[in-house]
Amino acid sequence: MIARPAEMLHEDTLPGQAEIMIVAGEASGDMHGAALVRAMQAMRPSLRFCGMGGKELEQAGVEMLCDAAKLAVVGAIEVLSHLGDILRARKALLERMRAKKPALLILIDYPDFNLLLARQAKKLGIPIFYYISPQIWAWRKRRVHTIGRLTDCVAVILPFEETIYTRHGYRAAFVGHPLLDTVRPSLARSQFIRRHQLQEDAQLIGLLPGSRKKEVESLLPVFLETAALLCAEKPEKRRTFLIPQASTISRALLEENGLAAYQDRLDFRIITEDRYSMMAACEACLAASGTVTLELALLRVPSVVSYRVAGHTYWLGRLIIRSLPFFSLPNLIAGRELVPELLQESVRPHQLLARLKPLLEDGAERRAMQEGFSALRLQLGETGAAQRTATLALEVMDNHDG
């Protein structure tokens, strides 16, 4: 489905102060949602927004009915301990829906919460627009029917997702990936080196163990041991290891998981800002599986991807996603092993080192990976995802006959 150009959407189709409710439950959704709100406001300055999110949506002018940070939990035990916050958030959103029926409900990923909300909105006759589909291609595939029946349209950000919906008769549109608009370094490599007082001749290698406590505990120690092995092979070569510290991770957690032990053995720097500039400055990276792997690919930085969780969690996950050939986003999108993946017991220093070393040399393996990254970028569409999504969302709102 091709969205109509913005100029075809007429002001007189809506009341002057139409209100839209937008709901995002995680940091990435908050960021992409804010870009969408700004794009919609640029097309329709009279629109007002309310809902749930974080600082990004609030700064975009959305009236916050509840704070998504209180709901950002992982695992059954954490969900139970935050159940009161979850129920209060749902109640606040539903009360606003009933008191002042929004012209459109925009849901961003976060399916377990958002689909419950969608069911109530459907009963109230509110048009529903889903932006950034849950990963139905990976697990709980039958949710395609739940999402398709509840929503008026789904805006998807991966090229193969549109077909998953449309082959079942549901409306979906590929709008391009929002990371194409945000993943760019703010500093040139030389500027980054000067700002962070790094040595000009040092080889920069990224160690990216993730933004969650369990990820850091599982991966940072093995990443540091891999770095020590690399340095031991050529002690005369100057290397600096860059470790981004996510806002969700404390310095104490990093210290407890290897930094203190390697303080005198490695030259490492903790980076709390200039994240994309840091990644772009690296020769290569060891990275946890997640969005960061796609960010690295867009920056054309070679990487080795690791995924390691508790044994029972892993085996339960394997039962759910047995048909998935890869677990990292670059490989899933490319349909082949573009970046090396190490899983569970394979995440060991010597195995990581064997995959990392060729990427630090200007050889065939490094060049082939970077060529693959260039092709991958083309698969993700063009920049301007927020604008295309805004046009589509306004069309859904304008054409709703409820």
Side-chain angles (χ1 to χ4, degrees), residues 130-173:
Y130 215 127
Y131 181 35
I132 308 180
S133 169
Q135 295 177 346
I136 53 174
W137 39 268
W139 64 297
R140 294 171 68 181
K141 295 180 180 181
R142 291 199 60 78
R143 279 191 306 181
V144 65
H145 299 295
T146 303
I147 297 167
R149 289 167 185 153
L150 287 174
T151 63
D152 293 82
C153 184
V154 184
V156 299
I157 63 173
L158 296 176
F160 53 81
E161 291 179 317
E162 182 177 2
T163 303
I164 295 175
Y165 285 96
T166 58
R167 72 185 177 201
H168 292 293
Y170 304 122
R171 187 183 178 194

Side-chain angles (χ1 to χ4, degrees), residues 73-382:
V73 294
V74 178
I77 301 301
E78 286 185 308
V79 167
L80 287 174
S81 66
H82 288 76
L83 187 57
D85 292 324
I86 293 169
L87 293 175
R88 278 188 290 273
R90 184 168 173 268
K91 181 181 179 183
L93 294 167
L94 287 174
E95 285 180 350
R96 181 59 165 257
M97 275 187 201
R98 293 175 180 130
K100 189 175 183 181
K101 183 178 172 181
L104 181 69
L105 173 63
I106 299 176
L107 304 174
I108 302 180
D109 200 1
Y110 206 52
D112 291 325
F113 183 91
N114 276 338
L115 290 176
L116 287 173
L117 202 62
R119 286 188 175 90
Q120 298 303 312
K122 190 81 169 177
K123 293 175 183 177
L124 294 171
I126 298 167
I128 301 167
F129 182 79
Y130 215 127
Y131 181 35
I132 308 180
S133 169
Q135 295 177 346
I136 53 174
W137 39 268
W139 64 297
R140 294 171 68 181
K141 295 180 180 181
R142 291 199 60 78
R143 279 191 306 181
V144 65
H145 299 295
T146 303
I147 297 167
R149 289 167 185 153
L150 287 174
T151 63
D152 293 82
C153 184
V154 184
V156 299
I157 63 173
L158 296 176
F160 53 81
E161 291 179 317
E162 182 177 2
T163 303
I164 295 175
Y165 285 96
T166 58
R167 72 185 177 201
H168 292 293
Y170 304 122
R171 187 183 178 194
F174 172 53
V175 294
H177 205 294
L179 286 182
L180 293 175
D181 294 292
T182 58
V183 178
R184 56 175 60 92
S186 57
L187 301 171
R189 189 176 190 275
S190 57
Q191 293 174 313
F192 176 81
I193 287 172
R194 285 196 298 273
R195 173 174 289 188
H196 293 276
Q197 300 180 334
L198 303 172
Q199 295 293 324
E200 290 277 355
D201 61 342
Q203 186 178 56
L204 303 181
I205 300 171
L207 305 181
L208 287 65
S211 58
R212 293 174 177 163
K213 182 174 182 286
K214 292 292 186 184
E215 289 177 322
V216 171
E217 291 173 342
S218 175
L219 295 176
L220 183 56
V222 72
F223 284 3
L224 289 167
E225 190 175 345
T226 305
L229 288 175
L230 179 66
C231 290
E233 287 192 354
K234 288 186 178 180
E236 72 282 1
K237 187 171 181 63
R238 187 187 296 274
R239 292 186 171 98
T240 299
F241 298 91
L242 305 180
I243 305 171
Q245 181 182 342
S247 59
T248 51
I249 298 298
S250 67
R251 177 64 184 251
L253 182 68
L254 298 177
E255 295 284 350
E256 292 164 8
N257 286 280
L259 288 198
Y262 285 90
Q263 186 75 47
D264 299 323
R265 297 173 59 189
L266 296 174
D267 177 18
F268 60 78
R269 308 295 171 87
I270 305 302
I271 306 296
T272 58
E273 57 184 355
D274 305 324
R275 181 168 174 266
Y276 290 142
S277 299
M278 182 220 83
M279 292 161 65
C282 291
E283 292 291 318
C285 294
L286 298 177
S289 179
T291 303
V292 69
T293 62
L294 187 55
E295 293 171 331
L296 287 166
L298 292 175
L299 292 167
R300 300 185 79 248
V301 178
S303 63
V304 180
V305 183
S306 298
Y307 183 75
R308 187 161 72 176
V309 294
H312 63 278
T313 302
Y314 169 71
W315 287 112
L316 178 60
R318 289 300 296 172
L319 289 173
I320 296 172
I321 56 174
R322 279 176 289 186
S323 62
L324 208 60
F326 307 107
F327 62 81
S328 65
L329 280 171
N331 293 348
L332 285 164
I333 297 168
R336 63 185 180 89
E337 190 176 280
L338 186 56
V339 297
E341 296 182 344
L342 294 180
L343 182 63
Q344 289 299 97
E345 294 306 313
S346 296
V347 184
R348 297 182 182 277
H350 284 93
Q351 295 199 48
L352 285 168
L353 183 62
R355 305 300 199 289
L356 177 64
K357 283 167 60 178
L359 304 181
L360 296 171
E361 302 167 359
D362 187 19
E365 194 166 332
R366 178 183 177 88
R367 289 194 295 272
M369 188 179 293
Q370 290 181 321
E371 288 170 6
F373 290 159
S374 297
L376 178 69
R377 188 182 185 95
L378 294 176
Q379 285 183 263
L380 293 176
E382 300 175 355

